[in-house]
Amino acid sequence: MSRTPAVISTSIVLLGIWFSLTLSTDIQEITLGVVVSLIVAIATHGALTGNLFTLLNPRKGLAAINYVFYFLGQMVKANIDVFLRIFRPVIPIKPGIVKARLTIKSERAKAIVANSITLTPGTITIDIIGDEIFVHWVFLPSGDVHAETQAMVDSFAGRLEKIFE
Amino acid sequence: MSFMDILAHVFTGLGALVLFASGLGVFRMPDVFNKMHAGTKATTLGSVLFLIGLGLFEPSWMPKLLLIVLFIILTNPVSSHALARAAYNEPSEKPDNLLIDDLEESKGGAQ
Amino acid sequence: MSSTFLIILFVLIGGGLFLSFLRLILGGKATDRAVALDTTTLITTGFLVLVAFLQGRSMLLDVALVYSVLSFLGVLAIARYLDGGLR
């Protein structure tokens, strides 16, 4: 029964989605929502969200909030970067694919890091092989490219490590 | 004009501008990966700002709009990865302007 | 929402839609088109929500939601096809 917290988290998230879709307080709708979200959560073993109750630990919860705000800040920066690039008469590009090492082990964390990197300034993730991540730069940083890439990946992975124990 | 109204105008205006920039970026960028930079980052923030701005105009729609926003944030990078891998793995699709290519060595070693 | 602001919104979103659709037609390589398709569908989602707001029909929001889900699946399917099928 080690999956029980994960199943309950998933069904709570699914129930939240159900409520924002129906926006109704009718008892029949709510009952149906509870039943359907429980069925889906049990059938998928809670794989959609994993165990969210660990976030109730204040340290991990704060780390998660910190990560979200850091990510949103980076996303805004990325868009300013794209914006300034696109409206130039000649688009300045210096593309390259650079390898970096992922210290984090959890598959879910790897996926979050890859998705975050895609949405942050000047970089998209091409592939992950084992614990190596391959990042495409639209404009390679001056200086040591590998060190810069590693620092960028670690800025996300380090913050995530605090959430995933 | 209330504060909420001004905020809604700013959000929708900026969102529409960023969505336009993403279209322009996809049109102008020279190769697949660079197109992806414009097509992923700009559409994500553009839709987020635009939909939340419209949600501020019509607060009763906010939950559903937030659901669309959440879905876009979660899925947009995923489709971008899938396309990036497809573009990299197919020799005829792969752009030839890369200055550094670490992935080539790793793939070469694996095969 | 004033009509001037509305016109600005329509011009910006319509312009973005036009440019990405032009890239979809003019192409380049197949993956260029796929990226353009991804962008076009996302801008269309925003456009649908704008139309829903203008007409005051919340039903179109569901259309936009389902549209974004299906476009994600469609792009994913195209990407897997270009990658050499489901392996």
Side-chain angles (χ1 to χ4, degrees), chain A residues 16-17 19-23 71-72 75-76 78-79 81-83 85-91 93-100 111 114-129 132 134 136-140 145-146, chain B residues 14 17-18 20-22 24-26 28-34 36-38 40-46 48 60-61 63-64 67 70 73-78 80-81 84-85 88-89 94 97-107:
Chain A
I17 293 174
F19 275 134
S20 46
L21 275 177
T22 56
L23 288 181
F71 167 71
L72 288 180
M75 201 163 107
V76 172
N79 279 275
D81 174 78
V82 166
F83 211 79
R85 216 175 283 284
I86 284 167
F87 286 102
R88 302 262 183 89
V90 177
I91 302 176
I93 54 167
K94 199 168 110 184
I97 296 177
V98 183
K99 177 170 73 178
N115 283 3
S116 303
I117 286 171
T118 300
L119 293 176
T120 50
T123 52
I124 51 176
T125 311
I126 305 292
D127 211 343
I128 296 182
I129 301 175
E132 286 174 337
F134 295 88
H136 177 271
W137 287 88
V138 68
F139 199 89
L140 287 168
V145 180
H146 287 89
Chain B
L14 275 180
L17 198 62
V18 174
F20 175 73
S22 75
L24 187 64
V26 168
R28 283 195 66 197
M29 286 290 200
D31 67 271
V32 185
F33 293 141
N34 289 316
M36 229 170 261
H37 278 280
T40 309
K41 297 189 228 289
T43 46
T44 310
L45 191 76
V48 170
S60 62
W61 289 7
K64 211 170 271 184
L67 205 62
L70 197 69
I73 290 184
L74 288 179
T75 58
N76 215 358
V78 176
S80 152
H81 290 171
R85 279 172 76 156
Y88 192 93
N89 289 338
K94 187 176 154 190
N97 59 359
L98 297 170
L99 299 177
I100 303 177
D101 191 352
D102 286 344
L103 188 51
E104 181 78 68
E105 298 162 20
S106 295
K107 288 251 158 119

Side-chain angles (χ1 to χ4, degrees), chain A residues 54-67:
Chain A
T54 53
L55 292 180
L56 290 179
N57 176 336
R59 207 162 39 85
K60 288 184 181 175
L62 281 180
I65 293 170
N66 175 21
Y67 186 85

Side-chain angles (χ1 to χ4, degrees), chain A residues 2 4 7 9 14 31-32 37-38 50 70 80 105 112 120 123-124 127 132 157 161:
Chain A
S2 62
T4 310
V7 169
S9 327
L14 289 175
T31 318
L32 185 63
S37 57
L38 265 178
Y70 178 73
I80 294 170
K105 289 282 169 279
I112 296 176
T120 50
T123 52
I124 51 176
D127 211 343
E132 286 174 337
E161 247 163 12

